[in-house]
Amino acid sequence: VGPLSDVVFSIIVDPRAAESTRERLEFHFAGDAALEGTLEPMRRTLAEFISGVNTEDVAIVENVQRGRRSPAFTGGHFAPAQ
């Protein structure tokens, strides 16, 4: 959940299999006026920005998960081996 001054967005993560996860972004804008047609370009720009940042984060998370599966991984300070 990402609260901003006039919108809250959620990233819903749905694991499908060990190597597959589906993500969905949801945006909740404050007030009916925020949904007016004249503001649609601003909503789209915000959604594209958040989606782009999330896409960048996906690569980082995938690399971390690959590292955790490595036989060389023995745990860490914040992520002990399980």
Side-chain angles (χ1 to χ4, degrees), residues 11-66:
I11 302 174
I12 294 84
V13 180
D14 181 16
R16 298 293 178 103
E19 298 292 327
S20 175
T21 300
R22 181 181 173 109
E23 290 187 345
R24 185 178 78 243
L25 292 170
E26 289 187 359
F27 295 87
H28 305 277
F29 294 90
D32 292 337
L35 300 178
E36 290 179 6
T38 57
L39 297 177
E40 194 277 331
M42 292 177 73
R43 291 191 305 271
R44 185 176 343 131
T45 299
L46 174 66
E48 289 171 355
F49 174 75
I50 298 294
S51 180
V53 170
N54 185 60
T55 298
E56 293 171 2
D57 291 349
V58 167
I60 295 167
V61 172
E62 287 174 345
N63 284 332
V64 168
Q65 292 305 317
R66 276 192 288 279

